[in-house]
Amino acid sequence: MTNLTRSDSLAALSPAPTEKLLNASLLLAPLAYIAVDSSYAVRGWDDGPTAAMHVVAAALYGLAAIKLVLVTSGRTQAVLLTVALLGIVGNAGVGQNSLHIALGGTDLFDADGPANVFKTLGFFFPLTFAIAAFALRRRTPAWWAPLLVVGAVLFPIAHVANISWLAVADAVIMLLALGTFTQVVRD
């Protein structure tokens, strides 16, 4: 048996840097989306600087999605991982499309054929959070999973229809759900 020093004991209680990053993303991603959606509301849905922020916010949401994947298990984890990765690509793709429009390019949402793949990927992003809510419903308080589902459902409604106030409200709902996750989840 080894004797642990006080610093060894504290190190064992401190989460690893990756876990800290993933936990922080649960707060930072929705905060970033509040900024992005507020900027889209003020500057328009085809604003270049906002679109660039959108791509970065999509990456932060990717980290948040990975955190949720890691706290699930079994087949659900495999499905959630697949949906999350497709959703990350779709979310970043929508930001990239907005950036492309801002620079004078064609809006892929107005295109057919191969652009339909792009449009479909965007729906995997909110689906990630709906699946996570279902998977984690028994490990969280009764209010948490429905709140995350509301955020997941409102996301495509707000963003497909370009309803700015609803997009900002949705980002706040996602902040309330994801931002509280590490405090409410049970092992």
Side-chain angles (χ1 to χ4, degrees):
M1 192 174 270
T2 53
N3 288 332
L4 293 177
T5 65
R6 187 175 187 320
S7 63
D8 291 333
S9 297
L10 291 175
L13 295 175
S14 177
T18 299
E19 186 175 347
K20 286 180 183 179
L21 172 67
L22 294 176
N23 288 344
S25 73
L26 293 170
L27 183 62
L28 295 175
L31 283 172
Y33 247 83
I34 289 171
V36 166
D37 287 334
S38 296
S39 184
Y40 276 138
V42 171
R43 299 171 65 110
W45 290 92
D46 58 356
D47 179 64
T50 304
M53 285 190 331
H54 180 160
V55 173
V56 173
L60 286 171
Y61 251 118
L63 294 171
I66 289 169
K67 172 62 180 184
L68 295 177
V69 167
L70 292 175
V71 296
T72 61
S73 62
R75 290 184 191 149
T76 301
Q77 187 179 51
V79 169
L80 186 56
L81 177 62
T82 303
V83 171
L85 289 177
L86 292 171
I88 293 164
V89 171
N91 188 12
V94 171
Q96 187 67 32
N97 184 59
S98 296
L99 187 57
H100 191 243
I101 294 166
L103 298 174
T106 302
D107 185 349
L108 293 178
F109 284 106
D110 293 337
D112 288 322
N116 290 332
V117 171
F118 159 77
K119 292 182 251 185
T120 303
L121 286 176
F123 290 103
F124 282 90
F125 175 70
L127 183 59
T128 299
F129 299 101
I131 293 170
F134 178 78
L136 297 166
R137 73 192 182 286
R138 290 189 179 102
R139 295 182 52 202
T140 54
W143 58 267
W144 189 87
L147 186 65
L148 189 59
V149 167
V150 168
V153 169
L154 289 180
F155 186 88
I157 294 169
H159 291 88
V160 170
N162 294 343
I163 305 170
S164 299
W165 69 266
L166 187 57
V168 173
D170 178 61
V172 171
I173 290 168
M174 294 298 283
L175 176 63
L176 293 172
L178 295 177
T180 60
F181 179 72
T182 59
Q183 286 78 38
V184 301
V185 69
R186 297 180 296 269
D187 290 331

